[in-house]
Coordinates of all heavy atoms in Angstrom, one line a residue:
M1 N 12.2 -21.9 2.5 CA 12.1 -20.4 2.7 C 11.0 -19.8 1.8 O 11.0 -20.2 0.6 CB 13.4 -19.6 2.4 CG 14.3 -19.6 3.5 SD 13.7 -18.5 4.7 CE 14.9 -19.0 6.1
E2 N 10.3 -18.9 2.2 CA 9.2 -18.3 1.4 C 9.7 -16.8 1.2 O 9.8 -16.1 2.3 CB 7.8 -18.4 2.1 CG 6.7 -18.0 1.1 CD 5.4 -18.1 1.9 OE1 5.2 -19.1 2.5 OE2 4.7 -17.1 1.7
I3 N 9.8 -16.4 0.1 CA 10.4 -15.0 -0.1 C 9.3 -14.3 -1.0 O 8.8 -14.8 -2.0 CB 11.7 -15.0 -0.9 CG1 12.1 -13.6 -1.2 CG2 11.8 -15.9 -2.1 CD1 13.5 -13.4 -1.6
T4 N 8.9 -13.0 -0.4 CA 7.9 -12.3 -1.1 C 8.5 -10.8 -1.3 O 9.2 -10.4 -0.5 CB 6.5 -12.2 -0.4 OG1 6.8 -11.8 1.0 CG2 5.8 -13.5 -0.4
I5 N 8.3 -10.3 -2.4 CA 8.6 -8.9 -2.6 C 7.4 -8.0 -2.9 O 6.5 -8.3 -3.7 CB 9.5 -8.8 -3.9 CG1 10.8 -9.6 -3.7 CG2 9.9 -7.4 -4.3 CD1 11.7 -9.7 -4.9
D6 N 7.3 -7.0 -2.1 CA 6.2 -6.1 -2.1 C 6.4 -5.1 -3.3 O 7.3 -4.3 -3.2 CB 6.0 -5.3 -0.7 CG 4.9 -4.5 -0.7 OD1 4.4 -3.9 -1.8 OD2 4.3 -4.1 0.3
K7 N 5.6 -5.3 -4.2 CA 5.9 -4.5 -5.5 C 5.5 -3.1 -5.4 O 6.0 -2.3 -6.0 CB 5.0 -5.1 -6.6 CG 5.1 -6.6 -7.0 CD 6.2 -6.8 -7.9 CE 6.2 -8.2 -8.5 NZ 6.4 -9.3 -7.6
N8 N 4.7 -2.7 -4.3 CA 4.5 -1.4 -4.1 C 5.6 -0.6 -3.5 O 5.8 0.6 -3.6 CB 3.2 -1.2 -3.3 CG 2.0 -1.6 -3.9 OD1 1.7 -1.4 -5.1 ND2 1.1 -2.5 -3.3
K9 N 6.4 -1.3 -2.6 CA 7.5 -0.8 -2.0 C 8.8 -0.9 -2.8 O 9.7 0.0 -2.7 CB 7.8 -1.5 -0.7 CG 6.9 -1.2 0.5 CD 7.3 -1.9 1.7 CE 6.3 -1.8 2.8 NZ 6.8 -2.6 3.9
C10 N 8.9 -1.8 -3.7 CA 10.0 -2.0 -4.5 C 10.3 -0.8 -5.5 O 9.4 -0.4 -6.2 CB 9.9 -3.2 -5.4 SG 11.3 -3.6 -6.5
T11 N 11.5 -0.4 -5.5 CA 11.9 0.8 -6.4 C 12.6 0.3 -7.6 O 13.0 1.1 -8.5 CB 12.8 1.8 -5.6 OG1 14.0 1.1 -5.3 CG2 12.1 2.4 -4.4
G12 N 12.8 -1.0 -7.7 CA 13.5 -1.5 -8.9 C 15.1 -1.2 -8.9 O 15.7 -1.1 -10.0
C13 N 15.6 -1.0 -7.7 CA 17.1 -0.5 -7.7 C 18.0 -1.6 -8.1 O 19.1 -1.4 -8.5 CB 17.4 -0.1 -6.2 SG 17.4 -1.4 -5.0
G14 N 17.6 -2.9 -8.0 CA 18.5 -4.0 -8.4 C 19.4 -4.5 -7.3 O 20.3 -5.4 -7.5
A15 N 19.6 -3.9 -6.1 CA 20.4 -4.2 -5.1 C 20.2 -5.7 -4.7 O 21.3 -6.4 -4.5 CB 20.3 -3.3 -3.9
C16 N 19.1 -6.2 -4.6 CA 18.7 -7.6 -4.2 C 19.3 -8.5 -5.2 O 19.8 -9.6 -4.9 CB 17.3 -7.9 -4.0 SG 16.3 -7.4 -5.4
R17 N 19.2 -8.2 -6.4 CA 19.6 -9.0 -7.6 C 21.2 -9.2 -7.5 O 21.7 -10.3 -7.8 CB 19.3 -8.3 -8.9 CG 19.6 -9.1 -10.1 CD 19.0 -8.4 -11.3 NE 19.0 -9.3 -12.4 CZ 20.1 -9.1 -13.3 NH1 21.0 -8.2 -13.1 NH2 20.1 -9.9 -14.4
K18 N 22.0 -8.0 -7.2 CA 23.4 -8.2 -7.0 C 23.8 -9.0 -5.8 O 24.7 -9.6 -5.7 CB 24.0 -6.8 -6.9 CG 24.0 -6.0 -8.3 CD 24.7 -4.7 -8.1 CE 24.5 -3.9 -9.4 NZ 24.4 -2.5 -9.0
A19 N 22.9 -8.8 -4.7 CA 23.3 -9.5 -3.4 C 23.1 -11.0 -3.5 O 23.7 -11.8 -2.8 CB 22.4 -8.8 -2.3
C20 N 22.1 -11.4 -4.3 CA 21.8 -12.8 -4.3 C 22.6 -13.7 -5.3 O 22.3 -13.6 -6.6 CB 20.3 -13.0 -4.7 SG 19.8 -14.7 -4.5
L21 N 23.7 -14.1 -4.8 CA 24.7 -14.7 -5.8 C 24.5 -16.2 -6.0 O 24.7 -16.7 -7.1 CB 26.1 -14.6 -5.2 CG 26.5 -13.0 -5.0 CD1 27.9 -13.1 -4.3 CD2 26.7 -12.3 -6.3
K22 N 23.9 -16.9 -5.1 CA 23.8 -18.4 -5.2 C 22.4 -18.8 -5.1 O 22.1 -20.0 -5.4 CB 24.6 -19.0 -4.1 CG 26.1 -18.7 -4.3 CD 27.0 -19.6 -3.5 CE 28.4 -19.5 -3.9 NZ 29.3 -20.0 -2.8
G23 N 21.5 -18.0 -4.6 CA 20.1 -18.6 -4.5 C 19.3 -18.5 -5.7 O 19.8 -18.7 -6.8
P24 N 18.0 -18.1 -5.6 CA 17.2 -18.1 -6.7 C 17.6 -16.9 -7.6 O 18.1 -16.0 -7.1 CB 15.7 -17.8 -6.1 CG 16.1 -17.2 -4.8 CD 17.3 -17.7 -4.4
K25 N 17.4 -16.9 -8.8 CA 17.7 -15.7 -9.7 C 16.6 -14.7 -9.4 O 15.4 -15.0 -9.3 CB 17.6 -16.1 -11.1 CG 18.8 -16.8 -11.6 CD 19.0 -16.6 -13.0 CE 20.3 -16.9 -13.5 NZ 20.6 -18.2 -14.0
I26 N 17.0 -13.5 -9.1 CA 16.2 -12.4 -8.9 C 16.2 -11.4 -10.3 O 17.3 -11.0 -10.6 CB 16.5 -11.4 -7.8 CG1 16.3 -12.4 -6.4 CG2 15.5 -10.3 -7.6 CD1 16.7 -11.6 -5.2
F27 N 15.1 -11.3 -10.8 CA 15.0 -10.5 -12.1 C 14.4 -9.2 -11.9 O 13.7 -9.0 -10.9 CB 14.1 -11.2 -13.1 CG 14.6 -12.7 -13.5 CD1 14.0 -13.8 -12.8 CD2 15.5 -12.8 -14.5 CE1 14.5 -15.1 -13.1 CE2 15.9 -14.1 -14.8 CZ 15.4 -15.3 -14.1
L28 N 14.8 -8.3 -12.7 CA 14.0 -7.0 -12.7 C 13.2 -6.9 -13.9 O 13.6 -7.1 -15.1 CB 15.0 -5.8 -12.8 CG 15.8 -5.5 -11.5 CD1 16.8 -4.4 -11.8 CD2 15.0 -5.2 -10.3
L29 N 11.9 -6.8 -13.7 CA 10.9 -6.8 -14.8 C 10.2 -5.5 -14.7 O 10.1 -4.8 -13.8 CB 9.9 -8.0 -14.6 CG 10.5 -9.4 -14.5 CD1 9.4 -10.4 -14.2 CD2 11.1 -9.7 -15.8
K30 N 9.4 -5.3 -15.9 CA 8.7 -4.0 -15.9 C 7.2 -4.4 -15.7 O 6.7 -5.4 -16.3 CB 8.7 -3.4 -17.2 CG 10.0 -2.4 -17.3 CD 10.0 -1.6 -18.5 CE 11.3 -0.8 -18.5 NZ 11.5 -0.1 -19.7
D31 N 6.5 -3.8 -14.7 CA 5.1 -4.2 -14.6 C 4.2 -3.4 -15.7 O 4.8 -2.7 -16.5 CB 4.6 -3.7 -13.1 CG 4.6 -2.2 -12.8 OD1 4.8 -1.4 -13.8 OD2 4.4 -1.8 -11.7
R32 N 3.0 -3.5 -15.6 CA 2.1 -3.0 -16.6 C 2.2 -1.4 -16.7 O 1.8 -0.9 -17.8 CB 0.6 -3.5 -16.5 CG 0.0 -2.9 -15.2 CD -1.5 -3.3 -15.2 NE -1.6 -4.7 -14.8 CZ -2.6 -5.3 -14.2 NH1 -3.7 -4.6 -14.1 NH2 -2.8 -6.5 -13.9
N33 N 2.6 -0.8 -15.6 CA 2.8 0.7 -15.7 C 4.2 1.1 -16.2 O 4.5 2.3 -16.2 CB 2.5 1.3 -14.4 CG 1.1 1.0 -14.0 OD1 0.2 1.0 -14.7 ND2 0.9 0.5 -12.6
G34 N 5.0 0.0 -16.6 CA 6.3 0.4 -17.0 C 7.3 0.6 -15.8 O 8.5 0.9 -16.0
K35 N 6.9 0.4 -14.6 CA 7.7 0.5 -13.4 C 8.6 -0.8 -13.2 O 8.0 -1.9 -13.3 CB 6.9 0.8 -12.2 CG 7.7 1.0 -10.9 CD 6.8 0.8 -9.7 CE 7.6 0.8 -8.5 NZ 7.0 0.1 -7.4
K36 N 9.9 -0.6 -13.0 CA 10.7 -1.7 -12.7 C 10.5 -2.3 -11.4 O 10.5 -1.6 -10.4 CB 12.3 -1.3 -12.8 CG 12.9 -1.5 -14.2 CD 14.4 -1.3 -14.0 CE 15.1 -1.2 -15.3 NZ 16.4 -0.8 -15.0
V37 N 10.3 -3.6 -11.3 CA 10.2 -4.3 -10.0 C 10.9 -5.6 -10.0 O 11.1 -6.2 -11.1 CB 8.6 -4.6 -9.7 CG1 7.8 -3.4 -9.4 CG2 8.0 -5.3 -10.8
A38 N 11.3 -6.0 -8.8 CA 12.1 -7.3 -8.7 C 11.1 -8.4 -8.5 O 10.0 -8.3 -8.1 CB 12.9 -7.2 -7.4
E39 N 11.6 -9.6 -9.3 CA 10.7 -10.7 -9.2 C 11.6 -11.9 -8.9 O 12.8 -11.9 -9.5 CB 10.1 -10.9 -10.6 CG 9.2 -12.0 -10.8 CD 7.8 -11.8 -10.3 OE1 7.3 -10.6 -10.6 OE2 7.2 -12.6 -9.8
V40 N 11.3 -12.8 -8.1 CA 12.1 -13.9 -7.7 C 11.9 -15.1 -8.7 O 10.7 -15.5 -9.0 CB 11.8 -14.5 -6.3 CG1 12.7 -15.6 -5.9 CG2 11.8 -13.4 -5.3
G41 N 13.0 -15.6 -9.3 CA 12.8 -16.6 -10.3 C 12.4 -17.9 -9.7 O 11.3 -18.4 -10.1
N42 N 13.1 -18.5 -8.8 CA 12.7 -19.8 -8.3 C 12.9 -19.7 -6.7 O 14.0 -20.1 -6.2 CB 13.5 -20.9 -8.9 CG 13.0 -22.3 -8.5 OD1 12.2 -22.4 -7.5 ND2 13.2 -23.3 -9.2
P43 N 11.9 -19.4 -6.1 CA 12.0 -19.2 -4.6 C 12.5 -20.5 -3.8 O 13.1 -20.4 -2.8 CB 10.6 -19.0 -4.1 CG 9.9 -18.5 -5.3 CD 10.6 -19.1 -6.4
S44 N 12.2 -21.7 -4.4 CA 12.7 -22.9 -3.7 C 14.3 -23.0 -3.6 O 14.7 -23.8 -2.8 CB 12.1 -24.1 -4.4 OG 12.5 -24.2 -5.7
Y45 N 14.9 -22.2 -4.4 CA 16.4 -22.2 -4.3 C 17.0 -21.2 -3.3 O 18.1 -21.1 -3.1 CB 17.1 -21.8 -5.7 CG 17.0 -22.9 -6.7 CD1 17.0 -22.6 -8.0 CD2 16.6 -24.2 -6.4 CE1 16.9 -23.5 -9.0 CE2 16.4 -25.1 -7.3 CZ 16.6 -24.8 -8.7 OH 16.5 -25.7 -9.7
C46 N 16.1 -20.5 -2.6 CA 16.5 -19.6 -1.6 C 17.3 -20.2 -0.5 O 16.8 -21.2 0.2 CB 15.4 -18.8 -1.1 SG 15.7 -17.6 0.2
L47 N 18.5 -19.7 -0.1 CA 19.3 -20.3 1.0 C 19.0 -19.7 2.3 O 19.5 -20.1 3.4 CB 20.8 -20.0 0.6 CG 21.2 -20.4 -0.7 CD1 22.6 -19.9 -1.0 CD2 21.1 -21.9 -0.9
G48 N 18.2 -18.6 2.3 CA 17.7 -18.0 3.6 C 19.0 -17.2 4.1 O 18.9 -16.8 5.4
C49 N 19.8 -16.7 3.4 CA 21.1 -15.9 3.8 C 20.7 -14.4 4.3 O 21.4 -13.8 4.9 CB 22.1 -15.9 2.9 SG 21.7 -14.9 1.3
R50 N 19.5 -14.0 3.7 CA 18.9 -12.7 4.1 C 19.7 -11.4 3.5 O 19.6 -10.3 3.9 CB 18.8 -12.5 5.6 CG 18.0 -13.6 6.2 CD 17.6 -13.2 7.6 NE 16.5 -12.2 7.7 CZ 15.3 -12.4 7.7 NH1 14.8 -13.7 7.6 NH2 14.4 -11.5 7.7
M51 N 20.7 -11.8 2.6 CA 21.5 -10.7 2.1 C 20.5 -9.7 1.3 O 20.7 -8.5 1.4 CB 22.4 -11.3 1.0 CG 23.7 -12.0 1.7 SD 24.6 -11.0 2.8 CE 25.3 -9.9 1.6
C52 N 19.6 -10.2 0.6 CA 18.7 -9.4 -0.3 C 17.9 -8.5 0.7 O 17.7 -7.3 0.4 CB 17.8 -10.3 -1.0 SG 16.8 -11.4 -0.1
V53 N 17.5 -9.1 1.9 CA 16.7 -8.3 2.8 C 17.5 -7.1 3.4 O 17.1 -6.0 3.5 CB 16.3 -9.2 3.9 CG1 15.5 -8.4 5.1 CG2 15.3 -10.3 3.5
S54 N 18.8 -7.4 3.6 CA 19.6 -6.4 4.3 C 20.0 -5.3 3.3 O 20.2 -4.1 3.8 CB 20.9 -7.0 4.9 OG 21.7 -7.6 3.9
V55 N 20.0 -5.5 2.1 CA 20.4 -4.4 1.2 C 19.1 -3.7 0.6 O 19.2 -2.7 -0.1 CB 21.2 -5.0 -0.1 CG1 22.5 -5.5 0.4 CG2 20.4 -5.9 -0.9
C56 N 17.9 -4.1 0.9 CA 16.8 -3.5 0.3 C 16.3 -2.4 1.2 O 15.7 -2.6 2.3 CB 15.7 -4.5 0.3 SG 14.1 -3.8 -0.4
K57 N 16.6 -1.1 0.8 CA 16.4 0.0 1.7 C 14.9 0.2 1.9 O 14.5 0.5 3.0 CB 17.0 1.3 1.1 CG 18.5 1.2 1.2 CD 19.2 2.5 0.7 CE 20.7 2.4 0.8 NZ 21.4 3.3 -0.1
P58 N 14.0 0.0 0.9 CA 12.6 0.3 1.3 C 11.9 -0.8 2.1 O 10.7 -0.7 2.4 CB 11.9 0.3 -0.1 CG 13.0 0.3 -1.1 CD 14.2 -0.2 -0.5
G59 N 12.7 -2.0 2.3 CA 12.1 -3.0 3.1 C 11.0 -3.8 2.5 O 10.1 -4.1 3.1
A60 N 11.3 -4.0 1.1 CA 10.3 -4.7 0.3 C 10.2 -6.2 0.3 O 9.2 -6.7 -0.1 CB 10.4 -4.2 -1.1
I61 N 11.3 -6.7 1.0 CA 11.5 -8.1 0.9 C 11.2 -8.8 2.2 O 11.7 -8.4 3.3 CB 12.9 -8.6 0.5 CG1 13.2 -7.9 -0.9 CG2 13.0 -10.1 0.3 CD1 14.7 -8.1 -1.4
T62 N 10.4 -9.8 2.2 CA 10.1 -10.6 3.5 C 10.5 -12.0 3.2 O 10.1 -12.6 2.2 CB 8.6 -10.5 3.8 OG1 8.1 -9.1 3.7 CG2 8.2 -11.1 5.1
L63 N 11.1 -12.6 4.3 CA 11.5 -14.1 4.3 C 10.7 -14.8 5.4 O 10.6 -14.3 6.5 CB 13.0 -14.3 4.4 CG 14.0 -14.0 3.3 CD1 15.3 -14.3 3.8 CD2 13.6 -14.8 2.1
K64 N 10.2 -15.9 5.0 CA 9.5 -16.7 6.1 C 9.8 -18.2 5.9 O 10.1 -18.7 4.8 CB 7.9 -16.7 5.9 CG 7.3 -15.5 6.6 CD 5.8 -15.6 6.7 CE 5.2 -15.2 5.4 NZ 3.7 -15.3 5.3
N65 N 10.0 -18.8 7.1 CA 10.3 -20.3 7.0 C 9.1 -21.0 6.7 O 8.0 -20.8 6.9 CB 10.8 -20.8 8.3 CG 12.2 -20.5 8.5 OD1 13.0 -20.7 7.6 ND2 12.7 -20.2 9.8
Ligands
SF4_1 S1 16.5 -4.2 -3.4 FE1 14.3 -4.0 -2.8 S2 13.8 -2.1 -3.8 FE2 15.7 -2.8 -4.8 S3 14.9 -4.1 -6.5 FE3 15.2 -5.4 -4.7 S4 13.3 -5.6 -3.8 FE4 13.2 -3.8 -5.1
SF4_2 S1 17.7 -14.8 1.2 FE1 19.8 -15.1 0.2 S2 19.4 -16.8 -1.3 FE2 17.3 -16.0 -0.6 S3 16.8 -14.5 -2.2 FE3 17.8 -13.4 -0.6 S4 19.9 -13.2 -1.1 FE4 19.0 -14.9 -2.4

């Protein structure tokens, strides 16, 4: 699974981080402007469950096989 997070759409709400219990760690980091954005720790651990996608209201997360 390839997971990408659109940093422009991400609001840093942390919902994906809470939803992803067993896959890659999702961190909340600050970008250079001080805005919180989600970052995937190790995409190769992604289980493809799509929980993060379903909770992300701005639609910032994309999963591809
Ligand atoms: S759920 Fe979406 S908007 Fe919220 S931190 Fe994760 S990627 Fe960003
Ligand atoms: S698809 Fe599932 S395992 Fe992969 S990052 Fe999202 S919540 Fe985590």
Side-chain angles (χ1 to χ4, degrees):
M1 272 295 165
E2 192 181 314
I3 173 166
T4 49
I5 298 177
D6 185 332
K7 304 274 193 302
N8 293 318
K9 288 186 183 173
C10 177
T11 61
C13 70
C16 56
R17 186 170 187 267
K18 285 186 194 148
C20 185
L21 299 175
K22 293 193 175 163
K25 284 205 160 96
I26 298 178
F27 300 96
L28 288 178
L29 304 174
K30 282 193 180 168
D31 69 9
R32 68 176 73 156
N33 299 315
K35 182 195 168 206
K36 267 193 195 172
V37 289
E39 183 84 38
V40 184
N42 190 339
S44 60
Y45 290 160
C46 177
L47 308 171
C49 68
R50 306 189 76 84
M51 288 299 289
C52 56
V53 176
S54 65
V55 298
C56 181
K57 288 185 182 160
I61 306 176
T62 311
L63 283 183
K64 271 194 274 177
N65 272 322

